[in-house]
Amino acid sequence: MTFEDLLATWLVEQRWFAGKGRTVHDLAVVADTEIVPGDPGLRHLIVTVSHGATSDCYQLFVGLRAWLPDTLRHARIGAHDGMEMYDGLHDSALTRSLLDAILADRTVATLRFRQVSGAEMQATEGGLDSLVLTGEQSNTSLVFGEAAILKVFRRVTPGPNPDLEVGLALAALGSSHIAEPYGWVETRMEGAATVLAILSRYLRAAADGWSLAATSVRDLYATPGGRAAEAGGDFAGEAERLGVATAQVHADLAQAFGVSELDSDAIRELAEQLYRRLDMAVAAVPELSLHADKIGAAYSSLAKLIEPVPAQRVHGDYHLGQVMRTQTGWVVLDFEGEPASPLAQRRARSSPLRDVAGMLRSFDYAARHQLVTHPDADKLVPAASDWARRNSDAFCAGYAAAGGQDPATNSVLLRALLLDKAVYEVIYEARNRPAWVQIPLDSLAEL
Ligand SMILES: Nc1ncnc2c1ncn2[C@@H]1O[C@H](COP(=O)(O)OP(=O)(O)O)[C@@H](O)[C@H]1O
Ligand SMILES: [Mg+2]
Protein backbone atom coordinates (compact mmCIF):
# COMPACT_ATOMS: atom_id res chain seq x y z
CA MET A 1 0.00 0.00 0.00
CA THR A 2 1.20 3.53 -0.69
CA PHE A 3 1.54 6.05 2.12
CA GLU A 4 -1.61 7.82 0.87
CA ASP A 5 -3.60 4.57 0.72
CA LEU A 6 -2.62 3.72 4.30
CA LEU A 7 -3.79 7.14 5.47
CA ALA A 8 -7.05 6.92 3.50
CA THR A 9 -7.87 3.45 4.85
CA TRP A 10 -7.39 4.67 8.41
CA LEU A 11 -9.11 8.01 7.90
CA VAL A 12 -12.44 6.61 6.73
CA GLU A 13 -12.67 4.56 9.96
CA GLN A 14 -12.39 7.59 12.24
CA ARG A 15 -15.42 8.96 14.07
CA TRP A 16 -14.62 12.50 13.02
CA PHE A 17 -14.39 11.59 9.33
CA ALA A 18 -17.17 13.57 7.68
CA GLY A 19 -17.53 11.60 4.47
CA LYS A 20 -19.05 8.47 6.05
CA GLY A 21 -20.61 6.22 3.49
CA ARG A 22 -18.96 8.06 0.62
CA THR A 23 -16.10 6.61 -1.39
CA VAL A 24 -12.79 8.35 -1.00
CA HIS A 25 -11.56 8.90 -4.55
CA ASP A 26 -8.32 10.58 -3.81
CA LEU A 27 -6.21 11.52 -0.83
CA ALA A 28 -3.45 14.04 -1.40
CA VAL A 29 -0.89 15.28 1.11
CA VAL A 30 -0.75 19.05 0.66
CA ALA A 31 1.56 19.89 3.57
CA ASP A 32 4.01 17.78 5.54
CA THR A 33 5.94 19.26 8.48
CA GLU A 34 8.28 17.46 10.81
CA ILE A 35 7.54 18.69 14.35
CA VAL A 36 9.63 16.15 16.29
CA PRO A 37 12.53 14.37 14.54
CA GLY A 38 13.75 10.88 15.50
CA ASP A 39 12.02 8.00 17.31
CA PRO A 40 9.42 8.71 18.49
CA GLY A 41 8.89 11.28 15.77
CA LEU A 42 5.94 13.51 14.93
CA ARG A 43 4.83 14.72 11.52
CA HIS A 44 2.00 17.12 10.84
CA LEU A 45 0.10 16.49 7.63
CA ILE A 46 -2.63 18.38 5.88
CA VAL A 47 -4.47 16.15 3.47
CA THR A 48 -7.33 16.75 1.10
CA VAL A 49 -9.82 14.01 0.47
CA SER A 50 -12.10 14.20 -2.51
CA HIS A 51 -15.39 12.42 -2.88
CA GLY A 52 -16.41 13.13 -6.44
CA ALA A 53 -17.12 16.82 -6.85
CA THR A 54 -16.52 17.85 -3.23
CA SER A 55 -13.38 17.74 -1.13
CA ASP A 56 -12.53 18.09 2.55
CA CYS A 57 -9.33 19.04 4.30
CA TYR A 58 -8.04 17.23 7.39
CA GLN A 59 -4.97 17.57 9.56
CA LEU A 60 -3.19 14.49 10.89
CA PHE A 61 -0.55 14.26 13.57
CA VAL A 62 1.36 11.17 12.54
CA GLY A 63 3.50 9.51 15.21
CA LEU A 64 6.44 7.34 14.09
CA ARG A 65 8.20 4.62 16.04
CA ALA A 66 10.29 1.63 14.98
CA TRP A 67 8.43 -0.42 17.58
CA LEU A 68 4.87 0.32 18.74
CA PRO A 69 4.15 -0.26 22.46
CA ASP A 70 0.86 -2.00 23.34
CA THR A 71 -0.53 1.23 24.79
CA LEU A 72 -0.48 2.77 21.31
CA ARG A 73 -1.84 -0.23 19.33
CA HIS A 74 -5.34 1.24 19.25
CA ALA A 75 -4.01 4.32 17.45
CA ARG A 76 -2.07 2.41 14.75
CA ILE A 77 -2.32 3.60 11.16
CA GLY A 78 0.06 1.09 9.53
CA ALA A 79 3.68 0.35 8.70
CA HIS A 80 5.61 2.42 6.21
CA ASP A 81 9.30 2.64 5.36
CA GLY A 82 10.17 0.32 8.23
CA MET A 83 8.40 2.56 10.78
CA GLU A 84 5.08 2.12 12.60
CA MET A 85 2.73 5.06 11.94
CA TYR A 86 0.00 5.96 14.44
CA ASP A 87 -2.19 8.82 15.60
CA GLY A 88 0.43 10.89 17.41
CA LEU A 89 -2.18 12.70 19.53
CA HIS A 90 -2.36 9.55 21.69
CA ASP A 91 1.36 9.62 22.50
CA SER A 92 2.12 11.95 25.40
CA ALA A 93 5.84 11.64 24.67
CA LEU A 94 5.00 13.62 21.50
CA THR A 95 2.08 15.86 22.47
CA ARG A 96 4.17 17.52 25.15
CA SER A 97 6.13 19.13 22.30
CA LEU A 98 2.92 20.79 21.08
CA LEU A 99 2.31 22.36 24.47
CA ASP A 100 5.93 23.42 24.79
CA ALA A 101 5.90 24.94 21.29
CA ILE A 102 2.81 27.05 22.13
CA LEU A 103 4.29 28.26 25.40
CA ALA A 104 7.50 29.19 23.55
CA ASP A 105 5.73 30.93 20.62
CA ARG A 106 7.64 28.69 18.23
CA THR A 107 7.39 28.60 14.43
CA VAL A 108 8.05 25.27 12.71
CA ALA A 109 8.12 25.72 8.93
CA THR A 110 4.56 26.82 8.05
CA LEU A 111 3.12 25.97 11.49
CA ARG A 112 2.88 28.84 13.93
CA PHE A 113 2.48 28.04 17.62
CA ARG A 114 1.16 31.13 19.40
CA GLN A 115 0.88 31.99 23.05
CA VAL A 116 -1.74 34.53 24.18
CA SER A 117 0.24 37.37 25.66
CA GLY A 118 -0.45 37.80 29.34
CA ALA A 119 -2.21 34.43 29.53
CA GLU A 120 -2.00 32.97 32.98
CA MET A 121 -0.45 29.66 31.96
CA GLN A 122 3.31 30.10 32.14
CA ALA A 123 6.10 28.27 30.29
CA THR A 124 7.06 26.62 33.57
CA GLU A 125 3.88 24.57 33.23
CA GLY A 126 5.18 22.86 30.09
CA GLY A 127 6.35 19.26 30.13
CA LEU A 128 2.93 17.96 31.18
CA ASP A 129 1.56 14.60 30.06
CA SER A 130 -1.63 14.60 28.04
CA LEU A 131 -4.70 12.39 27.91
CA VAL A 132 -7.13 12.22 25.02
CA LEU A 133 -10.64 13.16 26.11
CA THR A 134 -13.12 10.47 25.10
CA GLY A 135 -16.61 10.90 23.77
CA GLU A 136 -16.05 13.67 21.29
CA GLN A 137 -17.48 13.47 17.81
CA SER A 138 -15.77 15.93 15.55
CA ASN A 139 -12.58 17.06 17.23
CA THR A 140 -9.94 15.59 19.49
CA SER A 141 -9.11 17.26 22.78
CA LEU A 142 -6.02 16.64 24.87
CA VAL A 143 -6.00 17.42 28.57
CA PHE A 144 -2.61 18.41 29.95
CA GLY A 145 -2.36 17.59 33.63
CA GLU A 146 -5.69 19.29 34.54
CA ALA A 147 -4.06 22.61 33.63
CA ALA A 148 -4.99 23.10 30.00
CA ILE A 149 -7.01 21.52 27.23
CA LEU A 150 -5.91 21.51 23.59
CA LYS A 151 -8.80 21.20 21.18
CA VAL A 152 -7.43 19.89 17.90
CA PHE A 153 -9.71 20.37 14.92
CA ARG A 154 -9.71 17.34 12.66
CA ARG A 155 -11.31 18.99 9.64
CA VAL A 156 -9.77 22.35 8.88
CA THR A 157 -11.23 25.28 7.01
CA PRO A 158 -9.41 28.49 6.08
CA GLY A 159 -10.45 31.79 7.68
CA PRO A 160 -11.15 33.17 11.14
CA ASN A 161 -12.08 30.70 13.86
CA PRO A 162 -15.15 31.99 15.74
CA ASP A 163 -14.32 30.06 18.93
CA LEU A 164 -10.85 31.60 19.23
CA GLU A 165 -12.08 35.02 18.14
CA VAL A 166 -14.80 35.08 20.83
CA GLY A 167 -12.55 33.50 23.48
CA LEU A 168 -9.86 36.15 23.02
CA ALA A 169 -12.39 39.00 23.00
CA LEU A 170 -14.23 37.85 26.13
CA ALA A 171 -11.00 37.06 27.96
CA ALA A 172 -9.83 40.63 27.22
CA LEU A 173 -13.01 41.86 28.93
CA GLY A 174 -12.23 39.70 31.96
CA SER A 175 -15.23 37.40 31.58
CA SER A 176 -15.47 34.77 34.30
CA HIS A 177 -17.83 32.67 32.17
CA ILE A 178 -15.38 31.35 29.58
CA ALA A 179 -12.40 28.99 29.56
CA GLU A 180 -9.88 31.58 28.45
CA PRO A 181 -7.49 30.75 25.60
CA TYR A 182 -3.82 30.33 26.45
CA GLY A 183 -2.66 29.90 22.88
CA TRP A 184 -3.29 28.31 19.52
CA VAL A 185 -1.71 26.70 16.47
CA GLU A 186 -2.21 28.17 13.02
CA THR A 187 -1.05 27.86 9.45
CA ARG A 188 -1.98 29.47 6.13
CA MET A 189 -4.36 27.81 3.73
CA GLU A 190 -5.60 29.36 0.51
CA GLY A 191 -3.90 32.59 1.61
CA ALA A 192 -5.85 32.85 4.90
CA ALA A 193 -4.74 32.27 8.49
CA THR A 194 -6.24 28.96 9.56
CA VAL A 195 -6.58 27.81 13.15
CA LEU A 196 -5.57 24.19 13.72
CA ALA A 197 -5.88 23.89 17.51
CA ILE A 198 -6.78 25.99 20.55
CA LEU A 199 -5.25 25.69 24.02
CA SER A 200 -7.51 26.86 26.86
CA ARG A 201 -7.83 26.75 30.60
CA TYR A 202 -8.99 23.32 31.76
CA LEU A 203 -12.05 23.49 34.00
CA ARG A 204 -11.24 21.33 36.99
CA ALA A 205 -13.90 19.50 38.94
CA ALA A 206 -16.56 20.68 36.51
CA ALA A 207 -19.63 18.86 35.20
CA ASP A 208 -21.44 19.55 31.96
CA GLY A 209 -24.94 20.97 32.04
CA TRP A 210 -26.52 18.05 30.21
CA SER A 211 -25.35 15.47 32.79
CA LEU A 212 -26.40 17.67 35.70
CA ALA A 213 -29.84 18.21 34.19
CA ALA A 214 -30.17 14.48 33.42
CA THR A 215 -29.42 13.65 37.07
CA SER A 216 -32.13 16.02 38.21
CA VAL A 217 -34.63 14.52 35.76
CA ARG A 218 -33.81 10.94 36.86
CA ASP A 219 -34.34 11.96 40.45
CA LEU A 220 -37.77 13.39 39.63
CA TYR A 221 -38.83 10.28 37.67
CA ALA A 222 -37.85 8.06 40.59
CA THR A 223 -40.81 9.44 42.56
CA PRO A 224 -44.06 8.68 40.70
CA GLY A 225 -46.42 11.65 40.82
CA GLY A 226 -43.55 13.85 42.03
CA ARG A 227 -43.33 17.54 41.27
CA ALA A 228 -40.17 19.23 39.99
CA ALA A 229 -40.32 21.94 42.64
CA GLU A 230 -40.35 19.42 45.49
CA ALA A 231 -37.77 16.97 44.13
CA GLY A 232 -34.50 16.69 46.00
CA GLY A 233 -32.61 17.03 42.73
CA ASP A 234 -34.39 20.26 41.75
CA PHE A 235 -32.39 22.07 39.07
CA ALA A 236 -34.14 25.46 39.09
CA GLY A 237 -31.47 27.22 41.16
CA GLU A 238 -28.84 26.14 38.64
CA ALA A 239 -31.09 27.02 35.70
CA GLU A 240 -31.52 30.53 37.11
CA ARG A 241 -27.77 30.96 37.61
CA LEU A 242 -27.26 29.74 34.05
CA GLY A 243 -29.70 32.43 32.87
CA VAL A 244 -27.67 35.06 34.73
CA ALA A 245 -24.39 33.79 33.23
CA THR A 246 -25.93 33.76 29.75
CA ALA A 247 -27.05 37.38 30.06
CA GLN A 248 -23.56 38.37 31.21
CA VAL A 249 -21.96 36.54 28.26
CA HIS A 250 -24.38 38.27 25.90
CA ALA A 251 -23.54 41.66 27.41
CA ASP A 252 -19.82 40.97 26.89
CA LEU A 253 -20.43 39.79 23.31
CA ALA A 254 -22.36 43.00 22.64
CA GLN A 255 -19.54 45.10 24.09
CA ALA A 256 -16.83 43.25 22.16
CA PHE A 257 -18.52 42.95 18.75
CA GLY A 258 -21.10 45.75 18.74
CA VAL A 259 -24.87 45.85 18.39
CA SER A 260 -27.35 46.77 15.69
CA GLU A 261 -31.03 46.32 14.99
CA LEU A 262 -33.07 44.13 12.71
CA ASP A 263 -35.58 46.51 11.08
CA SER A 264 -38.96 45.36 9.84
CA ASP A 265 -37.50 44.29 6.46
CA ALA A 266 -34.86 42.16 8.16
CA ILE A 267 -37.52 40.65 10.40
CA ARG A 268 -39.66 39.78 7.38
CA GLU A 269 -36.60 38.20 5.77
CA LEU A 270 -36.03 36.17 8.96
CA ALA A 271 -39.66 34.99 8.90
CA GLU A 272 -39.17 33.94 5.25
CA GLN A 273 -36.15 31.87 6.24
CA LEU A 274 -38.15 30.11 8.93
CA TYR A 275 -40.95 29.40 6.45
CA ARG A 276 -38.48 27.89 4.00
CA ARG A 277 -37.08 25.61 6.68
CA LEU A 278 -40.61 24.56 7.65
CA ASP A 279 -41.49 23.69 4.03
CA MET A 280 -38.35 21.60 3.72
CA ALA A 281 -39.07 19.82 7.00
CA VAL A 282 -42.69 19.04 6.11
CA ALA A 283 -41.49 17.52 2.83
CA ALA A 284 -39.01 15.35 4.73
CA VAL A 285 -41.23 14.39 7.69
CA PRO A 286 -44.91 14.41 6.64
CA GLU A 287 -46.08 13.98 10.26
CA LEU A 288 -44.98 17.56 10.82
CA SER A 289 -47.80 18.82 8.61
CA LEU A 290 -50.14 18.27 11.62
CA HIS A 291 -48.53 21.32 13.22
CA ALA A 292 -47.72 23.33 10.09
CA ASP A 293 -50.67 25.76 10.41
CA LYS A 294 -49.86 26.62 13.99
CA ILE A 295 -46.18 27.11 13.17
CA GLY A 296 -46.96 29.16 10.07
CA ALA A 297 -49.25 31.42 12.13
CA ALA A 298 -46.39 32.11 14.58
CA TYR A 299 -44.11 33.02 11.68
CA SER A 300 -46.63 35.40 10.17
CA SER A 301 -46.99 37.13 13.55
CA LEU A 302 -43.20 37.50 13.49
CA ALA A 303 -43.27 38.96 9.96
CA LYS A 304 -45.72 41.64 11.19
CA LEU A 305 -43.49 42.90 14.01
CA ILE A 306 -42.77 46.60 13.49
CA GLU A 307 -40.61 47.27 16.54
CA PRO A 308 -36.93 46.78 15.63
CA VAL A 309 -35.22 43.80 17.24
CA PRO A 310 -31.76 44.16 18.84
CA ALA A 311 -29.06 42.09 17.16
CA GLN A 312 -25.54 41.19 18.24
CA ARG A 313 -22.97 38.40 18.12
CA VAL A 314 -24.43 35.28 19.76
CA HIS A 315 -23.29 31.78 20.67
CA GLY A 316 -25.35 30.18 17.91
CA ASP A 317 -25.30 26.55 19.07
CA TYR A 318 -26.41 27.00 22.65
CA HIS A 319 -27.55 24.01 24.68
CA LEU A 320 -26.85 22.20 27.96
CA GLY A 321 -23.93 20.28 26.39
CA GLN A 322 -22.10 23.55 25.77
CA VAL A 323 -22.02 24.78 29.36
CA MET A 324 -20.14 23.49 32.38
CA ARG A 325 -20.75 24.06 36.06
CA THR A 326 -17.48 24.66 37.89
CA GLN A 327 -17.11 25.12 41.63
CA THR A 328 -17.63 28.85 41.17
CA GLY A 329 -20.22 29.13 38.42
CA TRP A 330 -21.30 28.40 34.86
CA VAL A 331 -18.83 28.52 32.00
CA VAL A 332 -19.86 28.66 28.33
CA LEU A 333 -17.86 26.64 25.77
CA ASP A 334 -17.63 26.23 22.04
CA PHE A 335 -18.42 29.54 20.32
CA GLU A 336 -18.18 27.96 16.85
CA GLY A 337 -21.74 28.96 15.94
CA GLU A 338 -24.47 26.94 14.26
CA PRO A 339 -22.61 23.92 12.86
CA ALA A 340 -24.42 23.62 9.51
CA SER A 341 -24.15 27.32 8.62
CA PRO A 342 -21.45 28.97 6.50
CA LEU A 343 -18.76 30.92 8.36
CA ALA A 344 -20.12 34.38 7.50
CA GLN A 345 -23.52 33.47 8.94
CA ARG A 346 -21.99 31.97 12.08
CA ARG A 347 -20.20 35.26 12.79
CA ALA A 348 -23.14 37.49 11.84
CA ARG A 349 -25.26 39.37 14.39
CA SER A 350 -28.66 38.03 15.25
CA SER A 351 -31.14 38.14 18.11
CA PRO A 352 -29.67 36.92 21.41
CA LEU A 353 -33.04 35.26 21.96
CA ARG A 354 -31.78 32.61 19.53
CA ASP A 355 -29.52 31.37 22.32
CA VAL A 356 -32.35 31.60 24.84
CA ALA A 357 -34.49 29.48 22.51
CA GLY A 358 -31.62 26.99 22.14
CA MET A 359 -31.32 26.54 25.88
CA LEU A 360 -35.07 26.27 26.44
CA ARG A 361 -35.27 23.54 23.80
CA SER A 362 -32.39 21.83 25.57
CA PHE A 363 -34.34 21.81 28.86
CA ASP A 364 -37.19 20.20 26.98
CA TYR A 365 -34.88 17.55 25.54
CA ALA A 366 -33.32 16.88 28.94
CA ALA A 367 -36.78 16.16 30.33
CA ARG A 368 -38.14 14.14 27.41
CA HIS A 369 -35.22 12.08 26.18
CA GLN A 370 -35.40 9.79 29.22
CA LEU A 371 -38.97 8.93 28.33
CA VAL A 372 -37.90 7.37 25.01
CA THR A 373 -36.82 4.18 26.78
CA HIS A 374 -38.60 4.56 30.15
CA PRO A 375 -41.01 1.72 31.04
CA ASP A 376 -43.43 4.21 32.69
CA ALA A 377 -43.10 6.85 29.99
CA ASP A 378 -46.85 7.51 29.67
CA LYS A 379 -47.29 8.30 33.36
CA LEU A 380 -44.24 10.57 33.39
CA VAL A 381 -45.26 12.96 30.59
CA PRO A 382 -46.75 15.53 33.02
CA ALA A 383 -43.60 15.39 35.15
CA ALA A 384 -41.46 15.99 32.05
CA SER A 385 -43.48 19.06 31.11
CA ASP A 386 -43.36 20.29 34.69
CA TRP A 387 -39.55 19.93 34.85
CA ALA A 388 -39.03 21.66 31.49
CA ARG A 389 -41.39 24.53 32.35
CA ARG A 390 -39.98 25.10 35.83
CA ASN A 391 -36.38 25.25 34.59
CA SER A 392 -37.21 27.33 31.52
CA ASP A 393 -38.97 29.88 33.73
CA ALA A 394 -36.04 29.95 36.15
CA PHE A 395 -33.56 30.41 33.29
CA CYS A 396 -35.59 33.26 31.77
CA ALA A 397 -36.00 34.93 35.17
CA GLY A 398 -32.23 34.83 35.72
CA TYR A 399 -31.59 36.06 32.19
CA ALA A 400 -33.94 39.03 32.52
CA ALA A 401 -32.79 39.90 36.07
CA ALA A 402 -29.19 40.11 34.85
CA GLY A 403 -30.06 42.59 32.12
CA GLY A 404 -30.86 40.32 29.17
CA GLN A 405 -33.89 41.17 27.01
CA ASP A 406 -36.84 39.83 28.92
CA PRO A 407 -37.92 36.70 27.01
CA ALA A 408 -41.48 37.18 28.31
CA THR A 409 -41.92 40.61 26.70
CA ASN A 410 -40.51 39.38 23.37
CA SER A 411 -42.82 36.44 23.15
CA VAL A 412 -43.61 36.64 19.43
CA LEU A 413 -39.96 36.44 18.45
CA LEU A 414 -39.08 33.86 21.10
CA ARG A 415 -41.99 31.64 20.11
CA ALA A 416 -40.99 31.74 16.43
CA LEU A 417 -37.38 30.91 17.31
CA LEU A 418 -38.47 28.05 19.59
CA LEU A 419 -40.69 26.58 16.89
CA ASP A 420 -37.91 26.92 14.32
CA LYS A 421 -35.48 25.09 16.61
CA ALA A 422 -37.97 22.28 17.09
CA VAL A 423 -38.54 22.08 13.31
CA TYR A 424 -34.78 21.84 12.80
CA GLU A 425 -34.64 19.08 15.43
CA VAL A 426 -37.34 17.11 13.62
CA ILE A 427 -35.23 17.12 10.44
CA TYR A 428 -32.08 16.27 12.38
CA GLU A 429 -33.62 13.40 14.34
CA ALA A 430 -35.41 11.95 11.32
CA ARG A 431 -32.03 11.74 9.59
CA ASN A 432 -29.78 10.74 12.46
CA ARG A 433 -31.76 9.30 15.40
CA PRO A 434 -35.23 8.21 14.25
CA ALA A 435 -36.03 6.93 17.77
CA TRP A 436 -35.84 10.50 19.04
CA VAL A 437 -37.97 12.23 16.40
CA GLN A 438 -40.96 12.01 18.75
CA ILE A 439 -39.22 14.38 21.19
CA PRO A 440 -39.50 17.52 19.04
CA LEU A 441 -42.83 16.33 17.60
CA ASP A 442 -44.32 16.05 21.09
CA SER A 443 -42.98 19.49 21.97
CA LEU A 444 -44.48 20.96 18.82
CA ALA A 445 -47.81 19.53 19.84
CA GLU A 446 -47.51 21.26 23.22
CA LEU A 447 -45.88 24.55 22.22
N1 LIG B 1 -12.00 24.03 29.11
C1 LIG B 1 -12.51 22.82 29.35
N2 LIG B 1 -12.33 22.21 30.55
C2 LIG B 1 -12.85 20.97 30.79
N3 LIG B 1 -13.53 20.26 29.88
C3 LIG B 1 -13.73 20.79 28.67
C4 LIG B 1 -13.23 22.10 28.33
N4 LIG B 1 -13.57 22.37 27.06
C5 LIG B 1 -14.27 21.29 26.61
N5 LIG B 1 -14.37 20.34 27.58
C6 LIG B 1 -15.06 19.04 27.46
O1 LIG B 1 -15.15 18.68 26.09
C7 LIG B 1 -16.52 18.63 25.65
C8 LIG B 1 -16.63 19.16 24.23
O2 LIG B 1 -16.13 20.46 24.16
P1 LIG B 1 -16.57 21.49 23.03
O3 LIG B 1 -15.65 22.66 23.09
O4 LIG B 1 -18.03 21.77 23.15
O5 LIG B 1 -16.24 20.67 21.71
P2 LIG B 1 -17.14 20.07 20.55
O6 LIG B 1 -16.89 20.97 19.37
O7 LIG B 1 -16.59 18.69 20.34
O8 LIG B 1 -18.57 20.09 20.98
C9 LIG B 1 -17.27 19.44 26.68
O9 LIG B 1 -18.61 19.05 26.78
C10 LIG B 1 -16.49 19.14 27.95
O10 LIG B 1 -16.87 17.90 28.49
MG1 LIG C 1 -19.65 21.42 21.92
Side-chain angles (χ1 to χ4, degrees):
M1 258 204 240
T2 66
F3 181 60
E4 282 81 3
D5 286 342
L6 272 178
L7 294 178
T9 309
W10 178 78
L11 193 67
V12 297
E13 294 298 317
Q14 304 310 303
R15 255 166 87 155
W16 37 263
F17 180 67
K20 293 237 162 49
R22 286 186 287 173
T23 323
V24 173
H25 291 294
D26 223 348
L27 180 146
V29 175
V30 295
D32 185 346
T33 310
E34 181 174 77
I35 300 179
V36 181
D39 182 349
L42 182 62
R43 268 162 77 181
H44 180 269
L45 305 181
I46 295 186
V47 302
T48 55
V49 179
S50 54
H51 332 257
T54 60
S55 75
D56 291 319
C57 216
Y58 292 89
Q59 64 171 331
L60 308 176
F61 289 84
V62 176
L64 296 155
R65 287 173 181 258
W67 178 79
L68 200 63
D70 282 347
T71 48
L72 290 171
R73 286 259 140 225
H74 69 287
R76 184 171 188 267
I77 297 173
H80 184 72
D81 259 355
M83 294 291 271
E84 290 283 326
M85 298 201 300
Y86 57 98
D87 183 354
L89 295 178
H90 289 267
D91 188 349
S92 63
L94 293 173
T95 54
R96 149 176 336 151
S97 66
L98 302 176
L99 179 63
D100 294 346
I102 290 174
L103 299 180
D105 245 342
R106 197 167 293 151
T107 299
V108 183
T110 52
L111 297 181
R112 293 194 62 198
F113 294 84
R114 306 284 311 272
Q115 184 179 23
V116 174
S117 53
E120 220 174 88
M121 188 174 184
Q122 296 303 318
T124 49
E125 290 197 57
L128 292 169
D129 279 346
S130 69
L131 268 179
V132 174
L133 212 68
T134 54
E136 280 179 294
Q137 301 289 333
S138 51
N139 305 299
T140 297
S141 293
L142 306 179
V143 177
F144 287 94
E146 294 223 315
I149 178 166
L150 182 69
K151 179 170 173 178
V152 180
F153 300 105
R154 292 295 195 162
R155 247 171 103 182
V156 288
T157 39
N161 178 285
D163 195 24
L164 180 61
E165 178 182 46
V166 168
L168 291 173
L170 265 52
L173 292 176
S175 170
S176 60
H177 298 300
I178 56 155
E180 63 274 19
Y182 291 149
W184 70 95
V185 187
E186 66 176 39
T187 189
R188 291 193 82 75
M189 278 169 58
E190 298 169 18
T194 304
V195 175
L196 301 171
I198 303 175
L199 183 74
S200 319
R201 175 166 63 98
Y202 181 73
L203 305 169
R204 275 173 232 202
D208 73 274
W210 178 260
S211 329
L212 290 174
T215 305
S216 163
V217 170
R218 265 192 299 271
D219 175 69
L220 176 65
Y221 295 173
T223 323
R227 293 183 37 83
E230 288 142 21
D234 184 24
F235 191 68
E238 289 297 359
E240 183 181 353
R241 279 187 280 275
L242 181 57
V244 171
T246 304
Q248 288 167 352
V249 166
H250 279 162
D252 284 347
L253 284 170
Q255 192 182 335
F257 298 96
V259 292
S260 47
E261 282 180 338
L262 302 180
D263 60 15
S264 50
D265 283 347
I267 296 170
R268 258 200 314 279
E269 173 53 35
L270 173 64
E272 290 295 325
Q273 268 176 31
L274 306 193
Y275 272 125
R276 282 196 292 274
R277 178 128 78 180
L278 176 61
D279 286 343
M280 209 178 79
V282 172
V285 186
E287 209 184 329
L288 195 56
S289 59
L290 282 176
H291 313 295
D293 287 349
K294 176 170 82 180
I295 301 170
Y299 295 171
S300 56
S301 308
L302 173 66
K304 287 185 206 120
L305 279 188
I306 27 177
E307 283 290 295
V309 165
Q312 61 160 89
R313 188 79 182 249
V314 300
H315 184 282
D317 184 23
Y318 206 46
H319 55 78
L320 283 162
Q322 305 278 41
V323 293
M324 292 189 89
R325 179 67 163 93
T326 68
Q327 286 166 330
T328 48
W330 286 101
V331 170
V332 179
L333 299 171
D334 204 1
F335 289 86
E336 289 289 333
E338 197 174 64
S341 307
L343 183 61
Q345 209 168 308
R346 289 192 271 134
R347 297 172 72 221
R349 290 178 188 155
S350 64
S351 168
L353 291 181
R354 249 182 213 281
D355 288 344
V356 172
M359 193 55 76
L360 299 189
R361 289 298 308 137
S362 194
F363 285 132
D364 198 62
Y365 255 71
R368 289 182 201 267
H369 87 282
Q370 292 186 30
L371 300 183
V372 174
T373 49
H374 203 291
D376 299 322
D378 289 347
K379 283 182 229 143
L380 289 170
V381 171
S385 306
D386 182 33
W387 190 95
R389 198 174 317 108
R390 175 170 170 78
N391 288 292
S392 294
D393 289 350
F395 177 87
C396 290
Y399 186 78
Q405 269 176 70
D406 189 350
T409 59
N410 292 275
S411 56
V412 172
L413 177 59
L414 181 65
R415 182 172 161 78
L417 293 172
L418 279 169
L419 289 165
D420 177 57
K421 264 265 172 321
V423 167
Y424 169 83
E425 290 156 6
V426 169
I427 310 178
Y428 178 88
E429 302 299 6
R431 276 187 200 147
N432 299 293
R433 284 186 300 203
W436 284 35
V437 72
Q438 209 51 47
I439 298 178
L441 284 173
D442 285 350
S443 321
L444 283 168
E446 265 188 36
L447 265 166

